[in-house]
Amino acid sequence: MIVKVLQGGGMVLDLGAGFQLVDGAISFEGQRLEQAELATFEVLLKLPKERIYRGYWARDRNAVWYGARRVEGADPRTFTVMDEGSNLYAFDAKGRYESGQPLNPVWSDKFEQRRAAWMKRKEAR
C-alpha cells in the first residue's frame, strides 16, 4: 500500500491496478469514478501492475468498473475476473465480458473454452 501526500496536504492511496483513493474519492489514473461507493470498493486483480496488462477491473456494491468506465449490466455480486494472460476476460451469472464490454457473440465458443481451462487450473491450486 503506497500513500503519497500531495501539495496542499491531500492524500493519495494506491489501491492497485491504476485505481487510487484521492481525498475520499476513487479515481482511475486521474479520472474520478463519480458513482463509486467508497465503503465497498474493491480492486479485483491482485496482481503486480506489470502483469495486469489491460485488465483494470474493480467493483463496489452497485457496479463493476473497468478503469474509469462503469460496465453496464454487469452484476457486482457474481462478477469474476479470469486472472491469466491479458486479464481482459470476466464473467458474471448472466454475461461474459472483454475489456469492460459485453463479449462479442462471435467469440463465445473460444471464451467458454478459455473459461473452462481457467476454472480447471483454479481448482487444481
Side-chain angles (χ1 to χ4, degrees):
M1 183 179 307
I2 299 171
V3 177
K4 293 184 207 174
V5 178
L6 301 174
Q7 282 185 323
M11 301 287 283
V12 175
L13 176 63
D14 182 357
L15 302 174
F19 293 96
Q20 298 176 321
L21 175 60
V22 181
D23 292 330
I26 302 293
S27 69
F28 177 78
E29 296 183 347
Q31 291 185 290
R32 186 177 176 148
L33 280 61
E34 294 297 333
Q35 299 172 341
E37 184 181 88
L38 180 60
T40 61
F41 191 83
E42 169 190 18
V43 176
L44 295 176
L45 281 177
K46 311 291 188 206
L47 297 171
K49 186 155 174 109
E50 62 273 9
R51 285 197 47 221
I52 291 175
Y53 184 54
R54 293 183 310 185
Y56 307 112
W57 299 97
R59 69 176 161 204
D60 62 24
R61 179 177 49 171
N62 302 310
V64 173
W65 302 89
Y66 186 81
R69 274 192 339 252
R70 191 177 178 133
V71 181
E72 295 303 321
D75 177 12
R77 291 180 313 279
T78 62
F79 201 83
T80 303
V81 176
M82 291 170 36
D83 56 345
E84 67 174 14
S86 63
N87 304 304
L88 297 177
Y89 298 107
F91 58 94
D92 64 18
K94 55 188 174 177
R96 308 293 184 248
Y97 304 88
E98 177 184 7
S99 303
Q101 301 290 326
L103 183 72
N104 183 328
V106 169
W107 302 111
S108 291
D109 289 344
K110 185 174 183 178
F111 179 93
E112 292 305 331
Q113 290 170 357
R114 290 187 76 176
R115 180 173 170 252
W118 173 78
M119 291 180 80
K120 188 174 182 179
R121 282 191 298 278
K122 190 171 176 82
E123 290 171 0
R125 292 182 201 161

